[in-house]
Amino acid sequence: MATLADMKARIVAEMMRPDLGGNGEYSVNGVASEISSAINFYRSKRFYFNEKRTVVLFNTVDTQSDYGSADQANIPHLINIDSITVTDDTGKVTSLRSVDQECMERLIGGISPLGNPPSLYSYYAQALRFYPIPNGIYPVRVAGVIRVAPPLTDDEADNVWMNDAEELIRARAKKALYADWMADPQMGAVMNAKEAEALASLQAETSRRMSVYKIRSHDLG
């Protein structure tokens, strides 16, 4: 699998600029920072590789309405919530209904009964809030899009940005290097087109994978 070191080396080779890989003016301040910027730009977008249904799992706490990073480390990294389910003491799984923060404030601010389990949720300030307030321990599963971290080291393996989205990130990083660091708008425009092509390919793959779970009707007449 590709790593951050592999991407840096490939950018140096493709741009035919050996100074990018050493101690030249573009080295650390160029390639590494533009790769990081490219990842940050796309971290909030939906792709098939950042849709998760098992990465945010936690249990409610008796009489606790709000849940953040202290309860489950990935809660603050949620971008889109597709569904939240809770399992009661009998094993029954129920989908919670989303309400906005203003509605939740009114509910919690009034007489707040204990629920068994909760039936409503809101997501605000990187935290989940449930109503009625749970009166016990109930397993919660959140399905949705999560902000995936970039690689922490040059040799970290299996990071999605260096594998599934490698072409997209590489193209955007090169576009910035050409346009902003090397004053080469012509090559910047070329890489802009390559970035758009890579993005379209990832979006198409995401749509294909999503359609697998949809029931299609067929004309049997």
Side-chain angles (χ1 to χ4, degrees):
M1 303 295 283
T3 64
L4 179 57
D6 295 329
M7 180 177 288
K8 290 178 181 178
R10 183 166 179 177
I11 288 174
V12 170
E14 290 178 342
M15 297 180 72
M16 296 182 290
R17 290 294 299 262
D19 56 326
L20 287 170
N23 296 316
E25 60 177 312
Y26 300 115
S27 59
V28 174
N29 291 329
V31 178
S33 65
E34 294 304 342
I35 290 173
S36 178
S37 293
I39 293 172
N40 286 333
F41 181 81
Y42 282 110
R43 283 183 74 189
S44 61
K45 312 295 183 183
R46 179 188 289 267
F47 298 109
Y48 66 85
F49 53 77
N50 59 4
E51 293 175 328
K52 307 290 182 181
R53 65 178 298 273
T54 58
V55 75
V56 183
L57 300 170
F58 63 98
N59 293 328
T60 62
V61 177
D62 187 22
T63 72
Q64 179 177 323
S65 61
D66 293 20
Y67 298 83
S69 59
D71 303 285
Q72 216 288 341
N74 285 314
I75 289 176
H77 301 295
L78 286 165
I79 300 170
N80 294 105
I81 295 175
D82 294 330
S83 68
I84 296 182
T85 59
V86 62
T87 305
D88 66 17
D89 294 333
T90 68
K92 179 183 178 181
V93 178
T94 303
S95 294
L96 274 62
R97 184 166 60 88
S98 172
V99 297
D100 61 34
Q101 174 62 15
E102 183 179 359
C103 176
M104 183 62 74
E105 286 288 353
R106 291 197 302 269
L107 291 170
I108 295 293
I111 300 174
S112 302
L114 297 180
N116 173 8
S119 58
L120 305 176
Y121 79 89
S122 67
Y123 185 69
Y124 187 76
Q126 297 181 302
L128 287 165
R129 175 173 277 188
F130 295 134
Y131 182 89
I133 298 173
N135 69 340
I137 300 172
Y138 303 107
V140 175
R141 180 191 297 273
V142 182
V145 179
I146 195 165
R147 186 175 286 105
V148 179
L152 297 177
T153 63
D154 276 3
D155 58 355
E156 179 183 323
D158 298 328
N159 185 276
V160 294
W161 299 115
M162 300 297 104
N163 291 279
D164 300 71
E166 188 273 342
E167 185 178 359
L168 176 67
I169 299 305
R170 178 165 46 86
R172 185 171 181 86
K174 287 169 65 178
K175 177 181 74 172
L177 287 166
Y178 278 123
D180 300 333
W181 293 73
M182 299 177 182
D184 189 342
Q186 183 175 357
M187 283 304 299
V190 171
M191 296 316 303
N192 185 63
K194 287 187 175 293
E195 179 190 358
E197 182 180 351
L199 176 60
S201 178
L202 272 179
Q203 290 174 329
E205 178 64 17
T206 299
S207 295
R208 281 194 295 271
R209 293 186 184 222
M210 290 178 67
S211 68
V212 169
Y213 303 101
K214 295 180 180 178
I215 299 175
R216 297 180 179 180
S217 61
H218 297 275
D219 183 4
L220 302 180

